[in-house]
Amino acid sequence: MPHLQRRSFFLGSISLPLAAFCRIASSAERSGRFIGDIKTQWGKDGRLMLLLEPIGYIDPDGVEWAVPKGFATDGASIPQFLWSLIGGPFEGPYRAAAVIHDLYCVTKSHPYEQVHRTFYNASITAGESPRKAWVMYQGVLRFGPSWSWPRPQQRDPACDRLQTVGDSMCAVNSSELAKGYAKNPTNQEIKGFFDELRSQGYGAEIEALQQK
Protein backbone atom coordinates (compact mmCIF):
# COMPACT_ATOMS: atom_id res chain seq x y z
CA MET A 1 0.00 0.00 0.00
CA PRO A 2 1.51 3.38 -0.94
CA HIS A 3 2.69 5.81 1.71
CA LEU A 4 0.01 8.28 2.79
CA GLN A 5 0.52 11.62 4.49
CA ARG A 6 -0.80 11.48 8.04
CA ARG A 7 -1.97 14.34 10.22
CA SER A 8 -3.12 14.43 13.82
CA PHE A 9 -2.26 15.87 17.23
CA PHE A 10 0.23 14.32 19.64
CA LEU A 11 -1.53 12.86 22.64
CA GLY A 12 -0.15 11.82 25.99
CA SER A 13 -0.29 8.16 26.90
CA ILE A 14 -2.84 6.75 29.26
CA SER A 15 -1.71 4.02 31.63
CA LEU A 16 -4.03 1.58 33.29
CA PRO A 17 -3.36 -1.00 36.03
CA LEU A 18 -3.33 -4.54 34.67
CA ALA A 19 -6.24 -5.61 36.85
CA ALA A 20 -8.41 -2.80 35.47
CA PHE A 21 -7.32 -3.66 31.94
CA CYS A 22 -8.37 -7.30 32.43
CA ARG A 23 -11.80 -6.19 33.64
CA ILE A 24 -12.23 -4.02 30.53
CA ALA A 25 -11.17 -6.85 28.22
CA SER A 26 -13.56 -9.26 29.92
CA SER A 27 -16.43 -6.76 29.57
CA ALA A 28 -15.70 -6.26 25.87
CA GLU A 29 -15.63 -9.99 25.24
CA ARG A 30 -18.95 -10.45 27.08
CA SER A 31 -20.94 -7.62 25.58
CA GLY A 32 -19.66 -6.41 22.21
CA ARG A 33 -21.21 -7.87 19.07
CA PHE A 34 -21.20 -7.29 15.33
CA ILE A 35 -24.27 -7.03 13.13
CA GLY A 36 -23.68 -8.49 9.67
CA ASP A 37 -20.56 -9.94 8.09
CA ILE A 38 -17.82 -7.78 6.64
CA LYS A 39 -17.62 -8.16 2.86
CA THR A 40 -15.17 -6.03 0.91
CA GLN A 41 -13.35 -5.75 -2.38
CA TRP A 42 -10.45 -3.65 -3.56
CA GLY A 43 -11.31 -0.49 -5.48
CA LYS A 44 -10.03 -0.02 -9.02
CA ASP A 45 -7.14 2.10 -7.79
CA GLY A 46 -5.88 -0.77 -5.62
CA ARG A 47 -5.66 1.56 -2.61
CA LEU A 48 -9.17 1.71 -1.19
CA MET A 49 -11.18 -1.19 0.18
CA LEU A 50 -14.90 -0.94 -0.60
CA LEU A 51 -17.55 -2.22 1.80
CA LEU A 52 -20.04 -4.35 -0.18
CA GLU A 53 -22.61 -4.72 2.60
CA PRO A 54 -23.43 -2.54 5.61
CA ILE A 55 -22.07 -3.66 8.97
CA GLY A 56 -22.68 -2.58 12.51
CA TYR A 57 -21.16 -2.99 15.94
CA ILE A 58 -22.80 -2.69 19.34
CA ASP A 59 -20.19 -1.89 21.96
CA PRO A 60 -20.19 -3.08 25.60
CA ASP A 61 -22.12 0.06 26.62
CA GLY A 62 -24.85 -0.64 24.05
CA VAL A 63 -23.79 2.19 21.71
CA GLU A 64 -24.42 1.43 18.02
CA TRP A 65 -21.73 2.04 15.40
CA ALA A 66 -23.05 1.64 11.86
CA VAL A 67 -21.05 1.66 8.61
CA PRO A 68 -22.95 1.99 5.32
CA LYS A 69 -22.52 -0.08 2.19
CA GLY A 70 -20.15 1.58 -0.26
CA PHE A 71 -17.84 3.12 2.34
CA ALA A 72 -14.31 3.27 0.91
CA THR A 73 -11.57 2.84 3.48
CA ASP A 74 -7.78 2.84 3.34
CA GLY A 75 -7.05 1.98 6.96
CA ALA A 76 -5.33 5.32 7.44
CA SER A 77 -6.79 5.94 10.90
CA ILE A 78 -4.35 3.31 12.24
CA PRO A 79 -0.76 4.59 12.52
CA GLN A 80 1.29 3.04 9.74
CA PHE A 81 4.17 2.00 12.01
CA LEU A 82 1.75 -0.46 13.64
CA TRP A 83 1.05 -2.13 10.29
CA SER A 84 4.52 -3.67 10.13
CA LEU A 85 4.12 -5.03 13.66
CA ILE A 86 0.60 -6.43 13.67
CA GLY A 87 -0.29 -6.68 9.97
CA GLY A 88 -2.08 -4.26 7.69
CA PRO A 89 -5.50 -2.82 8.58
CA PHE A 90 -7.26 -5.32 6.28
CA GLU A 91 -5.55 -8.38 7.75
CA GLY A 92 -6.34 -10.46 10.80
CA PRO A 93 -9.39 -10.57 13.03
CA TYR A 94 -9.47 -6.82 13.63
CA ARG A 95 -10.34 -5.94 10.01
CA ALA A 96 -13.96 -5.03 10.82
CA ALA A 97 -12.78 -2.94 13.77
CA ALA A 98 -10.43 -1.03 11.43
CA VAL A 99 -13.28 -0.25 9.01
CA ILE A 100 -15.46 1.08 11.84
CA HIS A 101 -12.56 3.11 13.21
CA ASP A 102 -11.83 4.62 9.78
CA LEU A 103 -15.43 5.78 9.29
CA TYR A 104 -15.80 7.44 12.68
CA CYS A 105 -12.41 9.12 12.42
CA VAL A 106 -13.81 10.73 9.25
CA THR A 107 -17.28 11.66 10.48
CA LYS A 108 -16.09 12.66 13.97
CA SER A 109 -19.62 12.14 15.24
CA HIS A 110 -18.34 10.94 18.63
CA PRO A 111 -15.47 12.08 20.88
CA TYR A 112 -12.17 10.71 19.60
CA GLU A 113 -11.48 8.88 22.88
CA GLN A 114 -14.74 6.94 22.46
CA VAL A 115 -13.95 6.14 18.81
CA HIS A 116 -10.52 4.76 19.72
CA ARG A 117 -11.96 2.74 22.62
CA THR A 118 -14.49 1.25 20.22
CA PHE A 119 -11.64 0.09 17.98
CA TYR A 120 -10.20 -1.70 21.01
CA ASN A 121 -13.51 -3.29 22.02
CA ALA A 122 -14.38 -4.32 18.46
CA SER A 123 -10.92 -5.87 17.95
CA ILE A 124 -11.48 -8.13 20.95
CA THR A 125 -15.02 -8.97 19.87
CA ALA A 126 -13.66 -9.93 16.43
CA GLY A 127 -11.25 -12.41 18.03
CA GLU A 128 -8.05 -10.45 18.61
CA SER A 129 -6.22 -11.27 21.85
CA PRO A 130 -6.83 -8.67 24.60
CA ARG A 131 -3.12 -7.92 25.03
CA LYS A 132 -2.50 -7.38 21.31
CA ALA A 133 -5.68 -5.31 21.10
CA TRP A 134 -4.36 -3.20 24.00
CA VAL A 135 -1.12 -2.47 22.12
CA MET A 136 -3.10 -1.42 19.03
CA TYR A 137 -5.45 0.68 21.14
CA GLN A 138 -2.60 2.52 22.83
CA GLY A 139 -1.12 3.22 19.37
CA VAL A 140 -4.31 4.77 17.97
CA LEU A 141 -4.98 6.63 21.22
CA ARG A 142 -1.60 8.33 21.07
CA PHE A 143 -1.03 8.71 17.32
CA GLY A 144 -4.52 8.44 15.83
CA PRO A 145 -6.71 11.39 14.82
CA SER A 146 -8.13 13.68 17.49
CA TRP A 147 -10.68 16.46 17.36
CA SER A 148 -12.38 18.97 19.64
CA TRP A 149 -15.69 18.09 21.24
CA PRO A 150 -18.53 18.90 21.16
CA ARG A 151 -18.63 19.57 17.43
CA PRO A 152 -21.33 21.27 15.35
CA GLN A 153 -23.84 18.73 14.06
CA GLN A 154 -22.67 17.79 10.56
CA ARG A 155 -24.40 14.47 10.02
CA ASP A 156 -27.81 13.00 10.75
CA PRO A 157 -27.56 11.08 14.05
CA ALA A 158 -29.65 8.35 12.43
CA CYS A 159 -26.56 7.34 10.43
CA ASP A 160 -25.06 5.85 13.58
CA ARG A 161 -28.09 3.59 14.16
CA LEU A 162 -28.15 0.11 12.70
CA GLN A 163 -31.68 0.30 11.32
CA THR A 164 -30.70 3.13 8.94
CA VAL A 165 -27.19 1.96 8.09
CA GLY A 166 -28.09 1.23 4.47
CA ASP A 167 -29.57 4.66 3.74
CA SER A 168 -27.83 6.69 1.05
CA MET A 169 -27.89 9.77 3.28
CA CYS A 170 -25.23 8.08 5.39
CA ALA A 171 -22.71 7.70 2.57
CA VAL A 172 -19.21 9.11 3.12
CA ASN A 173 -17.29 10.39 0.13
CA SER A 174 -13.88 8.77 -0.23
CA SER A 175 -12.37 12.22 -0.80
CA GLU A 176 -13.06 12.90 2.90
CA LEU A 177 -10.73 10.14 4.07
CA ALA A 178 -7.87 12.58 4.67
CA LYS A 179 -9.86 13.92 7.62
CA GLY A 180 -9.24 10.63 9.41
CA TYR A 181 -5.52 10.17 8.79
CA ALA A 182 -3.34 9.16 11.71
CA LYS A 183 -0.13 10.89 12.61
CA ASN A 184 3.14 9.65 11.11
CA PRO A 185 5.28 9.68 14.31
CA THR A 186 9.03 10.13 14.47
CA ASN A 187 11.36 7.29 15.45
CA GLN A 188 11.85 8.97 18.81
CA GLU A 189 8.11 9.09 19.44
CA ILE A 190 7.75 5.42 18.48
CA LYS A 191 10.60 4.48 20.83
CA GLY A 192 8.96 6.41 23.65
CA PHE A 193 5.68 4.64 22.95
CA PHE A 194 7.29 1.20 23.14
CA ASP A 195 9.25 2.13 26.27
CA GLU A 196 6.03 3.12 28.04
CA LEU A 197 4.34 -0.15 27.07
CA ARG A 198 7.33 -2.07 28.40
CA SER A 199 7.01 -0.18 31.69
CA GLN A 200 3.38 -1.35 31.85
CA GLY A 201 4.43 -5.01 31.56
CA TYR A 202 4.21 -5.46 27.79
CA GLY A 203 7.91 -6.04 27.15
CA ALA A 204 7.51 -9.60 25.86
CA GLU A 205 4.73 -8.60 23.47
CA ILE A 206 6.70 -5.64 22.09
CA GLU A 207 9.82 -7.76 21.54
CA ALA A 208 7.80 -10.44 19.76
CA LEU A 209 6.13 -7.88 17.51
CA GLN A 210 9.40 -6.15 16.64
CA GLN A 211 10.93 -9.46 15.57
CA LYS A 212 8.25 -10.00 12.90
Side-chain angles (χ1 to χ4, degrees):
M1 184 174 291
H3 175 75
L4 298 172
Q5 181 65 34
R6 306 287 192 254
R7 64 182 179 88
S8 182
F9 299 97
F10 182 79
L11 304 176
S13 65
I14 296 178
S15 20
L16 192 69
L18 184 59
F21 156 68
C22 291
R23 287 195 296 271
I24 293 172
S26 176
S27 174
E29 290 177 299
R30 273 199 317 271
S31 305
R33 63 188 178 94
F34 287 98
I35 304 297
D37 298 320
I38 184 166
K39 299 178 181 179
T40 61
Q41 70 177 25
W42 286 107
K44 293 182 179 179
D45 61 2
R47 183 177 68 88
L48 299 176
M49 185 70 78
L50 304 177
L51 192 63
L52 300 178
E53 299 291 340
I55 62 169
Y57 178 67
I58 300 178
D59 70 20
D61 295 321
V63 178
E64 298 181 356
W65 304 80
V67 184
K69 173 182 177 180
F71 176 57
T73 175
D74 59 4
S77 65
I78 301 174
Q80 195 172 31
F81 81 93
L82 288 175
W83 298 6
S84 61
L85 299 178
I86 59 179
F90 305 125
E91 303 172 15
Y94 71 97
R95 182 173 61 152
V99 171
I100 291 170
H101 191 251
D102 256 18
L103 175 68
Y104 285 90
C105 283
V106 173
T107 65
K108 299 177 175 60
S109 55
H110 298 265
Y112 74 87
E113 298 94 339
Q114 185 182 11
V115 171
H116 298 332
R117 172 66 69 171
T118 296
F119 172 71
Y120 165 73
N121 287 329
S123 294
I124 294 176
T125 302
E128 194 58 86
S129 71
R131 292 185 69 89
K132 187 174 178 181
W134 183 252
V135 170
M136 294 190 294
Y137 166 59
Q138 290 296 304
V140 298
L141 184 62
R142 172 170 295 195
F143 300 114
S146 64
W147 50 90
S148 60
W149 191 264
R151 292 173 56 83
Q153 183 61 52
Q154 298 175 328
R155 195 170 81 127
D156 191 324
C159 292
D160 296 340
R161 296 200 295 270
L162 301 178
Q163 62 266 35
T164 56
V165 69
D167 289 359
S168 60
M169 69 177 181
C170 300
V172 175
N173 192 305
S174 61
S175 65
E176 296 182 300
L177 284 176
K179 297 178 181 178
Y181 282 179
K183 181 181 179 182
N184 190 18
T186 65
N187 289 335
Q188 183 177 0
E189 289 172 332
I190 294 173
K191 181 181 183 302
F193 169 70
F194 287 146
D195 286 346
E196 288 173 11
L197 284 177
R198 288 188 182 94
S199 73
Q200 296 175 27
Y202 287 83
E205 285 76 18
I206 294 301
E207 296 306 321
L209 291 172
Q210 289 182 316
Q211 292 173 10
K212 277 192 171 185

